Amino acid sequence: MTTAPDYEAAAARAARELEEAPAQEILRWAADTFGKRFCVTSSMEDAVVAHLASTVLPGVDVVFLDTGYHFAETIGTRDAVAATMPVNVITLTPKLTVAEQDAEYGPRLHDRDPDLCCSLRKVEPLNRGLGAYDAWATGLRRDESPSRANTPVVAWDAKRRKVKLAPIARWTQDDVDAYVQANGVLLNPLLWEGYTSIGCSPLSCTAKPGEGEAGRAGRWAGSGKTECGIHL
């Protein structure tokens, strides 16, 4: 197993060698390299990456951020994944409850300062939760938005000093749909209702995109914000 000081070099090498590799091969490299010090993060929009990871590392930790603002359908998807898949779902929560945050920063912080709200309810809890791991995998895809167009399949996350994987970075939405169909992968029911990217439930955070708009157009619509900060 690779030792920690070598992880940055290992990530650079894997990025070159695995660029054209199937998603399961990328995840198998992570499982072989990091073992139990590897996890998958999931927003529970779907369980595709969790399912892929479970095929190469049964019992893999799947980390979910419960911001306190999720749709009931998202929480239900999390619970269904935990109940039906060979994974270990770990729920992370912010230091402040929604009520405590409202008391300290004022209500509806997500409308007034969405960057701060995301920092408090997503970025900080994830940074804290990833302390138990040396590598983590996400569901980022290059076709989702211009800000994600150059996502590497393996990278060194310099801020967190960890290896970050995006095993389905090269996939299209059609690839995702085909994998879901072939493997009976769980999906968030909101996807059937016209949502194409699902985050927190306030309208300023997640809305249905308009006709012909990109999949992530409904996230922080009209604010100029495109990412919560986890992937910046």
Side-chain angles (χ1 to χ4, degrees), residues 51 61 73 78-79 104 117 154 159 166 184 196 214-215 227:
H51 186 277
D61 287 350
E73 291 87 347
R78 176 203 62 184
D79 293 346
E104 184 167 339
C117 192
V154 182
K159 286 185 179 180
T196 52
E227 296 285 350

Side-chain angles (χ1 to χ4, degrees), residues 87-110:
V87 299
N88 178 37
V89 173
I90 295 173
T91 297
L92 303 179
T93 56
K95 290 181 177 179
L96 301 176
T97 65
V98 171
E100 289 168 341
Q101 180 174 293
D102 287 351
E104 184 167 339
Y105 294 93
R108 303 190 66 83
L109 182 63
H110 45 76

Side-chain angles (χ1 to χ4, degrees), residues 99-202:
E100 289 168 341
Q101 180 174 293
D102 287 351
E104 184 167 339
Y105 294 93
R108 303 190 66 83
L109 182 63
H110 45 76
D111 291 348
R112 295 179 289 103
D113 192 341
D115 287 338
L116 178 57
C117 192
C118 285
S119 178
L120 293 170
R121 311 208 70 76
K122 288 187 174 183
V123 179
E124 189 283 327
L126 181 66
N127 290 347
R128 181 164 27 95
L130 287 179
Y133 306 99
D134 293 321
W136 59 301
T138 78
L140 294 179
R141 301 199 324 269
R142 293 170 185 169
D143 71 341
E144 290 180 302
S145 67
S147 64
R148 299 182 175 189
N150 297 314
T151 299
V153 295
V154 182
W156 176 244
D157 183 346
K159 286 185 179 180
R160 299 180 177 92
R161 307 291 298 169
K162 301 180 188 301
V163 175
K164 180 179 179 181
L165 292 88
I168 62 170
R170 294 183 296 109
W171 285 24
T172 64
Q173 185 61 53
D174 286 344
D175 294 326
V176 172
D177 294 344
Y179 188 84
V180 167
Q181 275 291 99
N183 295 280
V185 176
L186 287 164
L187 295 176
N188 192 312
L190 292 172
L191 294 173
W192 303 156
E193 297 181 18
Y195 290 91
T196 52
S197 180
I198 302 165
C200 293
S201 60

